Amino acid sequence: MGGWTRAWTLRYRGLGPSSSIFSRLPIACGSSQGGTELRPVPLSYKLLDGEAASPPLVFLHGLFGSKTNFNSVAKVLAQQTGRRVLTVDARNHGESPHSPDMSYEAMSQDLQDLLPQLGLVPCVLIGHSMGGRTAMLLALQRPELVERLIVVDISPVETSSSSSFPNYITAMRAVDVANEASLSSARKLADERLRSVIQSTNLRQYLLTNLVEVDGRFVWRVNLDALDKHLDKILDFPARQETYSGPTLFLRGGNSQFLLPSHYPEIRRLFPRAQMQTVPNASHWVHSDHPQDFMAAVRGFLA
């Protein structure tokens, strides 16, 4: 397989090279409110090349995350499987544009626009947390685009495990580091401010990856206004009646409460071929806690 990487940002009616990180924060218009047609935004992505004969792997990150969350895993799986591997920034995250709409329907539409343009359908869709719910909805809406589905530590059932997320947004909004001298000092000060609300060092470091420099000022690259406005929708799953009959794996962290046995009936209603697998001693961030076990589960499901 080819060992080189292509990193591009999709533009409407064509492809164009991705800009360097955040010379500006892009804004996209369009909303699904009031029956208005959903308008996809041009998502930022990174594509690792591989054999075109096999369905590519497409990774979707969780809330507050970005495509870089899967960098290491994507590179190893590209080498091990020989497949093309795509990592994507969701709207309002990473290097993708900001938009007032943060519904799962909008995020699914973004991928329905992107994946065929890249020639990456049908694909193996792998989504973690929020990305897992986007992956589920896409598979239900457009099953012909998804050869098989892997959902990581999330379900189509609302869970109280995400009840702290509003506090994270409030804490991030309260941080004022715009005029710090350097990114390192800005992140250090932000870490101190967040510590009173978020005790987990790993979680604070995860959130702090979103603090970036734009035009000489330090800002959160995630669209906190849109996330706050739509958080209730993000923490739930749209009601659906259709089913996805393709092979499906639900992979949960053994120490996580986001995917519970009580969710299995609804999972099997929507995904009748679903398999359940647990990675022992893993938290909600299965792929970062136990990357080898995570990749072994992915490879086993592809076999």
Side-chain angles (χ1 to χ4, degrees):
M1 58 167 284
W4 52 279
T5 299
R6 292 182 290 176
W8 302 91
T9 296
L10 178 69
R11 303 297 181 194
Y12 293 126
R13 306 186 187 278
L15 303 178
S18 174
S19 59
S20 59
I21 184 166
F22 283 99
S23 56
R24 66 184 67 83
L25 287 173
I27 303 295
C29 298
S31 171
S32 61
Q33 302 300 316
T36 304
E37 182 181 356
L38 291 170
R39 296 183 183 178
V41 303
L43 300 179
S44 176
Y45 63 86
K46 183 176 183 180
L47 178 61
L48 302 179
D49 224 32
E51 299 297 333
S54 299
L57 309 183
V58 176
F59 284 93
L60 309 179
H61 63 78
L63 186 63
F64 304 114
S66 73
K67 61 182 180 292
T68 61
N69 298 154
F70 288 107
N71 272 353
S72 298
V73 164
K75 289 178 183 177
V76 174
L77 284 173
Q79 295 169 351
Q80 292 177 340
T81 67
R83 300 187 187 216
R84 294 163 293 169
V85 180
L86 183 77
T87 53
V88 184
D89 282 334
R91 59 171 56 205
N92 295 314
H93 289 73
E95 296 178 291
S96 286
H98 285 187
S99 166
D101 194 345
M102 194 56 196
S103 65
Y104 282 114
E105 290 84 357
M107 288 187 277
S108 173
Q109 188 62 52
D110 292 339
L111 293 164
Q112 291 178 43
D113 189 64
L114 173 66
L115 296 177
Q117 290 200 38
L118 295 179
L120 298 180
V121 292
C123 69
V124 178
L125 200 53
I126 307 170
H128 171 247
S129 198
M130 180 187 77
R133 284 185 168 148
T134 302
M136 284 188 278
L137 182 59
L138 177 57
L140 292 168
Q141 291 179 320
R142 297 288 304 277
E144 75 278 8
L145 302 183
V146 183
E147 191 265 340
R148 62 187 59 210
L149 174 67
I150 302 177
V151 179
V152 185
D153 209 60
I154 202 68
S155 84
V157 179
E158 186 177 13
T159 173
S160 60
S161 295
S162 50
S163 59
S164 296
F165 286 173
N167 297 334
Y168 301 164
I169 293 176
T170 300
M172 293 167 75
R173 278 177 149 172
V175 170
D176 182 10
V177 293
N179 297 310
E180 285 297 303
S182 67
L183 181 58
S184 60
S185 63
R187 286 183 172 174
K188 181 178 179 180
L189 179 58
D191 183 57
E192 294 172 356
R193 299 285 170 81
L194 293 176
R195 189 176 293 127
S196 61
V197 177
I198 305 168
Q199 281 71 49
S200 168
T201 300
N202 288 339
L203 179 54
R204 291 198 309 275
Q205 293 304 309
Y206 173 74
L207 295 176
L208 287 169
T209 61
N210 289 291
L211 193 60
V212 297
E213 183 177 358
V214 178
D215 297 330
R217 292 170 60 84
F218 300 104
V219 298
W220 298 108
R221 65 179 177 179
V222 286
N223 186 348
L224 293 176
D225 290 340
L227 298 188
D228 188 33
K229 181 180 178 180
H230 295 280
L231 193 59
D232 288 346
K233 293 180 180 178
I234 296 171
L235 300 183
D236 203 354
F237 187 72
R240 309 301 299 187
Q241 295 304 316
E242 66 268 62
T243 61
Y244 171 72
S245 59
T248 305
L249 173 65
F250 279 78
L251 187 63
R252 68 180 293 267
N255 296 338
S256 175
Q257 298 298 307
F258 281 82
L259 175 53
L260 302 172
S262 60
H263 301 169
Y264 292 177
E266 178 65 2
I267 287 173
R268 292 198 169 99
R269 182 183 74 84
L270 295 171
F271 306 95
R273 295 180 63 186
Q275 305 173 31
M276 312 296 175
Q277 187 173 338
T278 299
V279 176
N281 303 314
S283 72
H284 182 52
W285 286 271
V286 181
H287 52 286
S288 58
D289 285 354
H290 294 279
Q292 296 302 324
D293 292 339
F294 173 79
M295 290 186 288
V298 171
R299 291 195 307 270
F301 187 59
L302 297 177

